[in-house]
């Protein structure tokens, strides 16, 4: 199975989620949010194709990374390979974040037609959802660009069947030191 990426995997990111992360920049997005931070990822034909097995092997070789972040573009436009990568990351003890322009509620609706969207939720620790809206841009927000976007604790959301937003507070990742530990205490 192939996935189209905007760039090779980027390790050691500290701005794309809690801890030290490897970012997987997917290629392709039709949201076209004005003032998007990554407009070069919008085309569905740019970037390069990679084998999912190759990406998983790179994840196996990671050192000193707490997790992966699926970003782009919008990873949900390549749902099948993204599910395989997220599943593998969880199997090897990494936590998984995903950025999407779709809302959590839209993902649930999309899952009615294609269950892969619902399957993906089972492998995510955090979903950062919603379009970037420049009029709502706020540089003080944690790991997101505009105030309409949410940091969703996916396991708690799935368990409670209502959206659980991660609170912005000091110490949210206190004790979060290696890839085997939980997202926060």
């Amino acid at each position: 199975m192939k996935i189209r990426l905007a760039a090779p995997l980027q390790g050691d990111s500290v701005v794309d989620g809690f801890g030290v992360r490897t970012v997987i920049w997917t290629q392709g997005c039709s949201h076209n949010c004005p003032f998007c931070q990554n407009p070069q990822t919008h085309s569905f034909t740019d970037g390069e194709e990679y084998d999912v097995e190759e990406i998983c092997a790179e994840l196996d070789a990671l050192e000193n990374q707490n997790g992966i972040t699926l970003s782009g573009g919008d990873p949900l436009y390549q749902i099948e390979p993204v599910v395989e990568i997220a599943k593998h990351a969880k199997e090897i003890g990494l936590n998984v974040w995903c950025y999407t322009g779709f809302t959590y509620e839209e993902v649930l609706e999309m899952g009615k037609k294609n269950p892969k969207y619902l399957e993906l939720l089972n492998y995510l620790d955090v979903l950062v959802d919603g379009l970037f809206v420049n009029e709502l841009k706020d540089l003080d927000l944690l790991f997101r660009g505009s105030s309409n976007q949410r940091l969703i604790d996916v396991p708690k959301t799935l368990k409670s069947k209502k959206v659980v937003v991660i609170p912005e507070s000091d110490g949210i990742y206190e004790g979060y030191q290696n890839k085997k530990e939980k997202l926060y205490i």
Side-chain angles (χ1 to χ4, degrees):
M1 180 181 307
K2 301 274 189 183
I3 186 168
R4 185 168 290 278
L5 300 181
L9 274 59
Q10 175 197 348
D12 299 325
S13 172
V14 294
V15 297
D16 297 292
F18 298 130
V20 180
R21 315 187 64 73
T22 293
V23 183
I24 301 174
W25 299 101
T26 62
Q27 183 70 41
C29 181
S30 65
H31 300 302
N32 295 313
C33 301
F35 302 100
C36 173
Q37 152 179 324
N38 300 318
Q40 71 280 8
T41 66
H42 291 181
S43 165
F44 286 91
T45 57
D46 288 346
E48 287 187 44
E49 280 194 341
Y50 293 82
D51 287 318
V52 169
E53 297 79 19
E54 178 184 333
I55 300 300
C56 291
E58 288 188 51
L59 297 182
D60 290 339
L62 291 178
E63 293 182 7
N64 303 314
Q65 303 291 293
N66 299 95
I68 66 167
T69 298
L70 300 160
S71 193
D74 193 320
L76 298 190
Y77 285 108
Q78 298 187 69
I79 191 63
E80 291 190 21
V82 164
V83 166
E84 293 308 310
I85 292 167
K87 178 180 178 182
H88 183 77
K90 292 304 287 185
E91 288 172 350
I92 62 171
L94 296 170
N95 71 55
V96 181
W97 282 46
C98 182
Y99 282 79
T100 181
F102 297 103
T103 64
Y104 179 82
E105 294 79 7
E106 289 171 323
V107 174
L108 293 179
E109 282 300 310
M110 292 161 42
K112 292 177 182 176
K113 292 182 182 173
N114 182 347
K116 284 288 183 183
Y117 293 101
L118 301 178
E119 183 180 351
L120 177 63
L121 294 175
N122 291 304
Y123 304 123
L124 297 182
D125 292 288
V126 175
L127 181 70
V128 184
D129 78 336
L131 298 172
F132 170 74
V133 178
N134 194 54
E135 295 77 20
L136 301 175
K137 181 177 180 178
D138 184 343
L139 298 178
D140 292 327
L141 295 171
L142 185 65
F143 302 121
R144 54 206 167 105
S146 58
S147 60
N148 61 299
Q149 297 171 312
R150 301 175 292 184
L151 292 177
I152 298 173
D153 183 321
V154 179
K156 287 183 180 179
T157 295
L158 291 173
K159 186 176 181 180
S160 69
K161 298 191 181 349
K162 66 178 184 175
V163 174
V164 177
V165 175
I166 296 173
E168 293 202 31
S169 63
D170 294 334
I172 194 166
Y173 47 69
E174 187 177 312
Y176 179 72
Q177 297 170 10
N178 67 54
K179 67 182 181 182
K180 301 289 185 203
E181 292 181 9
K182 297 290 183 195
L183 180 61
Y184 48 86
I185 29 179

